[in-house]
Amino acid sequence: MNKRWVLNLGLLILIITLGLFAWFKPGIKPSPVEPALTTLKAADIHDIEIVRPDAPHIKLQRQNNRWRMLAPRDVAADGYLVKAFLDSLAAPTLRHFKVETAELDKFGLAKPQLQLRLNDSEIDFGTTEPLGGNRYVKVGDTLYLTTGELFYRLSHDALWWVDKQLLPADAHITALQLPNATLTLQNGKWQLTPANPAISADAIQKLVDAWHDARALSVLTPEAGRSSGEAAIQLAGKAQPLRFEILDNPDFLILVRPDLKLEYRFEQDQRRALLELQPTRAGKTATGHNGAKESPDARTAGSRNHPPGH
């Protein structure tokens, strides 16, 4: 082996040694992971209360594995948002230390900007640090420094937490009245009034499913607007139908629940999916889920509302 090979081999060994040293950092202890704001597991949290100055308290409660808002409205809560919020509680904080009562005012905690109650525990939110913009949060006698994400979630208007789903998840539609048509489920088949041979059973089922799955972009307090019609939905087991006022709006499809005083706002293209039955194209025969031909006013029994055997 000549000197050049020996030199190259020595350099290779040196590079590998330096790489391993940089990777494993012998003698350097890794920084400890900072604790989360709470030791409560998401699955163990059943009551959430958000207290903000000069704003209504928000109360959310888990009921039968679903979240419901109890205040300031009694309405279903958005389970996706609540889950995302609860999951974020497990994130490590940035720093923590003990705080004396006399120091609370310095961190904006003598009068917290927001309070979060999880079951029986309380979390107080103070001001932000001047340099990094991170927020001071107190739990018991411990002060934590956190990012602003959690405070931002909790600062939303109460209606932000309302369920965006138009109908309950377990809803079974038995009748649907639109401005220009009425659908009624009879003996497992949909009847269309006024009858229209150009409307297939598939088109009817597609519209019914669209109502069942409809999820709004946002839920707001209704604003004054010119009505362009009404939709009414009868659900199985309910004495009265759900009524929605359709507001005339060039940018969005807006459905208002007068009984809840809530406005559901959708993309404009949802107007066609929810309010218009689409005729079958010429030369196309409507088929059911099993491929058999169907009459225009029929709907197969093996559907969302009437599964096979029911």
Side-chain angles (χ1 to χ4, degrees):
M1 183 179 295
N2 58 39
K3 291 183 180 180
R4 182 180 296 275
W5 277 102
V6 172
L7 179 60
N8 289 340
L9 180 60
L11 289 173
L12 178 62
I13 293 173
L14 177 61
I15 291 171
I16 293 173
T17 302
L18 290 174
L20 291 173
F21 184 87
W23 179 263
F24 291 104
K25 298 179 180 179
I28 301 176
K29 294 183 179 180
S31 301
V33 177
E34 289 288 329
L37 285 176
T38 178
T39 57
L40 286 171
K41 303 296 183 184
D44 297 329
I45 297 173
H46 48 77
D47 282 280
I48 301 170
E49 185 174 3
I50 304 167
V51 180
R52 301 167 298 162
D54 305 321
H57 292 193
I58 300 171
K59 292 184 180 181
L60 307 172
Q61 188 176 80
R62 193 198 300 267
Q63 300 178 353
N64 299 322
N65 291 323
R66 292 180 183 170
W67 283 94
R68 188 164 189 85
M69 177 183 288
L70 303 182
R73 303 286 191 94
D74 184 5
V75 66
D78 191 323
Y80 297 104
L81 288 180
V82 177
K83 182 182 184 303
F85 157 67
L86 292 178
D87 289 344
S88 71
L89 293 173
T93 54
L94 303 175
R95 191 158 50 94
H96 75 286
F97 51 90
K98 295 296 180 182
V99 62
E100 300 292 336
T101 303
E103 299 179 293
L104 293 181
D105 192 53
K106 181 169 62 174
F107 302 106
L109 286 159
K111 294 181 179 179
Q113 296 189 9
L114 183 148
Q115 290 179 302
L116 171 64
R117 292 166 188 161
L118 304 172
N119 297 349
D120 296 323
S121 63
E122 184 174 298
I123 300 174
D124 296 337
F125 290 76
T127 57
T128 56
E129 62 171 343
L131 297 179
N134 297 306
R135 190 164 296 273
Y136 295 109
V137 181
K138 185 177 81 71
V139 183
D141 61 352
T142 301
L143 191 67
Y144 296 86
L145 195 61
T146 70
T147 63
E149 181 181 353
L150 184 56
F151 184 84
Y152 171 77
R153 288 176 185 267
L154 298 173
S155 298
H156 277 289
D157 180 81
L159 293 187
W160 189 73
W161 296 94
V162 173
D163 193 2
K164 312 302 182 297
Q165 198 77 21
L166 199 60
L167 302 181
D170 57 354
H172 294 285
I173 302 173
T174 60
L176 176 56
Q177 182 180 344
L178 302 175
N180 299 315
T182 299
L183 304 174
T184 309
L185 190 63
Q186 297 178 2
N187 299 321
K189 296 182 179 180
W190 285 105
Q191 305 297 321
L192 173 61
T193 305
N196 185 347
I199 303 298
S200 70
D202 287 346
I204 292 174
Q205 186 59 53
K206 185 176 181 180
L207 185 138
V208 172
D209 288 345
W211 275 93
H212 186 280
D213 298 333
R215 185 175 177 81
L217 293 170
S218 58
V219 179
L220 308 167
T221 300
E223 296 183 0
R226 187 164 65 90
S227 175
S228 61
E230 183 183 87
I233 303 176
Q234 184 63 56
L235 302 180
K238 301 296 182 181
Q240 299 296 326
L242 301 180
R243 299 190 179 277
F244 295 90
E245 185 181 2
I246 306 165
L247 296 189
D248 190 13
N249 187 287
D251 301 315
F252 299 96
L253 168 62
I254 297 178
L255 302 177
V256 174
R257 277 277 302 266
D259 58 326
L260 297 179
K261 294 182 174 60
L262 292 177
E263 173 186 301
Y264 295 84
R265 183 166 292 194
F266 297 84
E267 294 280 9
Q268 186 63 268
D269 60 9
Q270 284 294 91
R271 180 180 298 275
R272 186 174 182 180
L274 294 173
L275 302 179
E276 300 176 15
L277 283 162
Q278 303 303 314
T280 303
R281 284 177 293 177
K284 180 179 177 182
T285 303
T287 59
H289 299 291
N290 59 3
K293 294 181 181 180
E294 293 183 340
S295 60
D297 63 347
R299 192 202 69 167
T300 56
S303 67
R304 183 194 310 278
N305 292 316
H306 284 261
H310 287 250

